């Protein structure tokens, strides 16, 4: 027997629950099932069976009230009534993982959505694993390029960084994620589509991701009609899959679309179990779950890396929305997509002045840093005179920096514009930017 098989057998034996505990449903209200269940814990997986044994519903323990366990179903509750039996399936939620998961599409429970069986030789990993300690993380020192010129030049990522993509509705967050999944330097992508419409999931896989991207990706898709527990579970499942591939020494790109819908799902759970609503109806558990989720990405000593991108929906383009503000506080930077730029046909609609990478200066060379600073300065100069130009009140000759910005701005927009099917290499982008800033590039 090989070492790998011995290890797998040992892990399976450790995961065995020799004694199955069971209980009874006492109350069903809305999304919540209340019942008696001995020796249960928060996060335990259960199966609820109706009195006539015709309906079986998976559920997760989300809390306790006095001596009763509070369970949130992962499927429809039709047929479940007081007296239904509850069987504990395991004291912690786990996922079965394998290198052959690349190219597969799974739901929030790890079940295949693509009609094919799961691969053999799987190992089990806990979904709600703790984040590594702060001293277990090496300092990021290497850049990781995404193939998107506006981000690679001006908001450069470090390998192991966590970045937010902040935007309102309809600004192309999903399209940008698909472009990054196809062109980034990562070895494998883990993509979590949380709370999306079913049509959008199919369109993302077929159009934005494509066969090229899917072959080196694992997709976890949990649509908006699924249980809020399955939606939050899908986010943690994708993170566990990313950790598994990282442990193989690979560079993993974790893309989660969207962190806001994870927060909304947790809001449904928190309100159902009786948490008090605070800012915009978000209970305290929402602000607690976000750092627990994103802190698991990053670098680990002597292993691979997880570079994570989390899309964040700014409702009404409000960048001070509670979820946006909480996400910015726990991430290592953010890319803001601008509705104004999108309206004028700029793709990707990256607001350079509103975006920042906190690790960029640690991983780029002096030439790259200098060119990026000059580009930001030029955009800032144009921002100062833009309103005067639009109303025809700007007079050339009074502001040398403004004159230069006005002369170069059209070529800057052309430089930042990039087709979603176009790959941009960093050396070519820097050469082109340097020529532009020196006035050598032709319009």
């Amino acid at each position: 027997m090989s070492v790998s098989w011995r290890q797998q057998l040992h892990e399976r034996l450790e995961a065995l629950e020799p004694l199955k505990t069971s209980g009874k449903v006492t109350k069903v209200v809305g999304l919540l099932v209340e019942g008696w269940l001995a020796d249960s814990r928060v996060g335990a997986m259960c199966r609820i069976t109706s009195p006539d044994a015709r309906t079986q519903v998976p559920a997760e323990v989300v809390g306790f009230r006095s001596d009763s366990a509070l369970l949130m179903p992962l499927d429809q509750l039709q047929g479940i009534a007081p007296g239904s039996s509850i069987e504990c399936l395991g004291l912690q939620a786990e996922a079965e993982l394998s290198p052959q998961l690349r190219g597969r599409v799974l739901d929030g429970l790890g079940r295949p959505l693509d009609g094919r069986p799961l691969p053999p030789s799987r190992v089990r990993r806990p979904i709600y694993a703790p984040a590594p300690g702060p001293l277990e993380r090496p300092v990021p020192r290497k850049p990781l390029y995404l193939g998107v010129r506006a981000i690679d030049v001006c908001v450069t990522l470090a390998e192991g960084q966590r970045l937010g993509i902040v935007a309102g509705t309809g600004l192309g967050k999903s399209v940008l994620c698909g472009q990054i999944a196809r062109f980034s330097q990562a070895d494998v992508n883990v993509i979590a589509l949380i709370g999306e419409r079913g049509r959008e999931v199919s369109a993302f896989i077929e159009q934005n991701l494509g066969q090229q991207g899917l072959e080196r990706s694992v997709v976890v898709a949990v649509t908006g009609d699924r249980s809020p527990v399955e939606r939050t579970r899908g986010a943690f499942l994708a993170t566990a899959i990313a950790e598994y591939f990282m442990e193989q020494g690979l560079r993993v790109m974790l893309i989660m679309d969207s962190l806001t819908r994870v927060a909304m799902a947790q809001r449904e759970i928190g309100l159902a179990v009786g948490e008090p609503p605070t800012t915009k109806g978000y209970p305290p558990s929402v602000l607690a779950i976000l750092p627990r989720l994103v802190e698991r990405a990053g670098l680990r000593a002597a292993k691979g890396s997880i570079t994570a991108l989390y899309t964040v929906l700014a409702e009404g383009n409000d960048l001070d929305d509670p979820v946006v503000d909480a996400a910015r506080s726990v991430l290592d930077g953010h890319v803001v997509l601008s509705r104004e730029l999108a309206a004028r046909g700029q793709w990707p609609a990256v607001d350079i002045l509103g975006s920042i990478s906190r690790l960029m200066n640690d991983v780029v060379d002096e030439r790259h840093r200098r060119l990026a600073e000059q580009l930001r300065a030029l955009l800032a100069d144009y921002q100062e005179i833009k309103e005067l130009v639009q109303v025809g009140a700007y007079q050339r000759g009074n502001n040398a920096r403004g004159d230069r910005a006005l002369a170069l701005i059209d070529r800057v927009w052309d430089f930042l514009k990039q087709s979603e099917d176009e790959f941009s290499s960093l050396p070519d982008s820097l050469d082109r930017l340097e020529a532009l800033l020196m006035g050598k590039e032709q319009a």
Side-chain angles (χ1 to χ4, degrees):
M1 182 178 290
S2 66
V3 175
S4 61
W5 276 103
R6 288 175 181 170
Q7 181 180 358
Q8 291 176 29
L9 181 59
H10 180 70
E11 291 173 347
R12 287 177 178 269
L13 288 173
E14 284 188 335
L16 283 177
E17 296 289 343
L19 179 63
K20 296 291 185 182
T21 58
S22 61
K24 295 288 184 182
V25 171
T26 58
K27 185 187 297 185
V28 180
V29 180
L31 298 175
L32 203 62
V33 176
E34 188 171 330
W36 177 84
L37 184 63
D39 195 31
S40 59
R41 306 174 188 174
V42 171
M45 292 301 300
C46 303
R47 179 169 55 229
I48 305 173
T49 304
S50 62
D52 59 7
R54 293 183 178 180
T55 303
Q56 291 188 334
V57 179
E60 183 175 315
V61 178
V62 296
F64 295 91
R65 182 179 292 134
S66 299
D67 294 331
S68 298
L70 304 179
L71 297 92
M72 191 75 73
L74 284 86
D75 210 334
Q76 300 297 321
L77 278 173
Q78 279 78 8
I80 301 302
S84 298
S85 65
I86 307 172
E87 181 184 3
C88 186
L89 302 178
L91 295 181
Q92 65 175 351
E94 294 183 322
E96 295 186 333
L97 307 175
S98 165
Q100 285 76 39
L101 284 178
R102 275 180 281 197
R104 304 301 304 274
V105 183
L106 311 175
D107 67 5
L109 298 178
R111 300 173 301 195
L113 291 174
D114 51 16
R116 294 182 288 157
L118 287 174
S121 303
R122 301 186 297 269
V123 298
R124 301 181 69 88
R125 290 286 186 275
I127 292 176
Y128 302 112
L135 299 184
E136 298 176 32
R137 300 177 180 272
V139 177
R141 296 297 186 192
K142 300 178 182 178
L144 184 73
Y145 300 117
L146 308 181
V148 179
R149 186 160 49 246
I151 298 178
D152 287 345
V153 171
C154 302
V155 201
T156 311
L157 265 73
E159 185 178 330
Q161 183 170 349
R162 291 81 54 89
L163 189 80
I165 300 177
V166 182
T169 57
L171 296 185
K173 298 185 295 297
S174 298
V175 177
L176 182 59
C177 289
Q179 184 176 13
I180 291 171
R182 293 196 307 274
F183 296 140
S184 78
Q185 294 178 323
D187 299 315
V188 60
N189 304 306
V190 179
I191 303 172
L193 304 177
I194 308 298
E196 298 280 0
R197 293 180 283 271
R199 175 192 59 78
E200 291 177 328
V201 172
S202 298
F204 176 86
I205 294 173
E206 294 178 9
Q207 300 172 13
N208 303 135
L209 189 59
Q211 189 61 35
Q212 172 191 352
L214 182 59
E215 287 177 355
R216 63 189 191 108
S217 303
V218 183
V219 179
V220 177
V222 189
T223 52
D225 62 320
R226 303 301 299 169
S227 159
V229 171
E230 186 175 349
R231 278 177 268 152
T232 58
R233 181 189 172 93
F236 283 95
L237 171 62
T239 304
I241 295 173
E243 289 174 328
Y244 170 75
F245 282 108
M246 177 197 63
E247 291 170 359
Q248 316 304 312
L250 301 176
R251 293 179 299 176
V252 182
M253 176 66 71
L254 172 63
I255 300 175
M256 192 168 295
D257 186 14
S258 72
L259 197 62
T260 302
R261 292 194 177 100
V262 176
M264 289 178 174
Q266 183 61 34
R267 175 170 63 183
E268 293 182 47
I269 297 171
L271 294 178
V273 299
E275 284 189 75
T278 53
T279 307
K280 284 197 174 181
Y282 287 102
S285 63
V286 172
L287 301 183
I289 197 176
L290 297 182
R292 280 178 47 213
L293 183 62
V294 304
E295 279 295 317
R296 289 170 62 180
L299 295 178
R300 308 284 177 93
K303 294 181 180 178
S305 64
I306 302 175
T307 306
L309 299 179
Y310 301 92
T311 68
V312 186
L313 177 63
E315 296 186 25
N317 296 319
D318 181 12
L319 297 183
D320 294 322
D321 177 271
V323 176
V324 176
D325 195 49
R328 286 187 301 186
S329 69
V330 298
L331 296 174
D332 304 317
H334 54 272
V335 171
V336 176
L337 302 186
S338 164
R339 191 169 297 280
E340 179 184 351
L341 292 177
R344 56 177 289 172
Q346 185 79 18
W347 169 260
V350 176
D351 178 2
I352 301 298
L353 297 180
S355 305
I356 187 172
S357 169
R358 294 186 176 128
L359 299 179
M360 175 176 174
N361 289 338
D362 297 332
V363 297
V364 300
D365 58 31
E366 182 58 34
R367 176 182 178 238
H368 186 164
R369 185 183 302 111
R370 172 176 51 82
L371 291 174
E373 288 174 352
Q374 290 178 11
L375 179 58
R376 283 182 175 271
L378 189 146
L379 288 170
D381 292 338
Y382 176 75
Q383 191 70 21
E384 289 183 0
I385 65 170
K386 181 175 70 172
E387 292 185 2
L388 293 176
V389 172
Q390 290 173 343
V391 300
Y394 181 77
Q395 295 182 355
R396 295 177 183 269
N398 295 329
N399 183 340
R401 293 173 63 94
D403 291 346
R404 181 172 182 269
L406 188 58
L408 295 178
I409 192 62
D410 287 337
R411 280 183 276 174
V412 168
W413 295 135
D414 288 340
F415 168 76
L416 295 175
K417 187 179 293 186
Q418 180 179 346
S419 166
E420 62 184 86
D421 296 322
E422 174 192 352
F423 170 77
S424 175
S425 70
L426 183 70
D428 290 344
S429 297
L430 293 180
D431 290 343
R432 183 179 168 190
L433 177 58
E434 188 171 40
L436 186 158
L437 294 173
M438 295 176 65
K440 294 180 180 180
E441 184 177 83
Q442 298 297 316

